[in-house]
Amino acid sequence: MKISNNGINLIKKFEGLELKAYKDSVGILTIGYGHTHGVKAGDVITGQQADAFLREDVHVAELAVNANVKVKLTQGQFDALVSFIFNLGAGNFVKSTLLKKLNAGDYAGAADEFGKWVNAGGKLLPGLVKRRAAEREAFNS
């Protein structure tokens, strides 16, 4: 499967667009729509470059869903999982109870797991609460 425009828009909404490198909530250098690979202090990109980075990063998240999810998914479920992985990384997803429940066919239980991933750097972040709620809603759509 591939992410839909709704999924891309979900990611863009919560990542926001920054054309100049900055440190995220846990101190990682970030640019564009949450792109972190190879970012250096002082980097500046264009909107077109930000979109290209987003496509690359989303592709990695798509691969993680397609390789690890063993049950059928709706487009909304796929989009939600790609957004989740985009934000948290494939390693967290692969080890998650969310994936275990999903692969056991417990879709409702998997949906309930989104709300447990709302901390960064040991702190509850309101932005992550909103993002996980939106991902859960997409998952259940």
Side-chain angles (χ1 to χ4, degrees):
M1 291 183 80
K2 293 220 171 271
I3 196 168
S4 71
N5 286 334
N6 287 341
I8 291 288
N9 290 334
L10 176 68
I11 292 169
K12 283 183 170 184
K13 174 183 175 183
F14 286 101
E15 291 294 336
L17 174 60
E18 292 289 340
L19 299 178
K20 196 175 192 180
Y22 68 97
K23 287 191 178 178
D24 71 5
S25 59
V26 292
I28 296 171
L29 278 169
T30 304
I31 202 163
Y33 297 104
H35 180 75
T36 58
H37 182 71
V39 179
K40 295 182 283 316
D43 282 356
V44 177
I45 60 171
T46 65
Q48 192 174 1
Q49 287 171 308
D51 284 334
F53 284 148
L54 178 60
R55 281 191 291 280
E56 289 171 21
D57 295 340
V58 160
H59 182 65
V60 171
E62 289 170 334
L63 289 172
V65 174
N66 287 321
N68 292 286
V69 174
K70 306 303 179 199
V71 295
K72 278 211 164 287
L73 295 174
T74 65
Q75 187 65 56
Q77 290 166 335
F78 186 83
D79 290 348
L81 294 172
V82 170
S83 175
F84 182 83
I85 293 167
F86 184 92
N87 183 236
L88 293 164
N92 284 321
F93 175 65
V94 169
K95 296 181 284 188
S96 72
T97 302
L98 190 159
L99 179 61
K100 287 180 185 73
K101 288 184 176 186
L102 182 59
N103 280 338
D106 181 3
Y107 291 88
D112 290 341
E113 291 295 313
F114 282 97
K116 296 179 180 176
W117 293 84
V118 293
N119 295 307
K123 293 182 182 170
L124 177 76
L125 296 184
L128 287 180
V129 172
K130 290 178 184 154
R131 183 177 189 148
R132 297 290 100 83
E135 289 167 347
R136 185 179 194 276
E137 186 179 321
F139 187 87
N140 285 328
S141 67

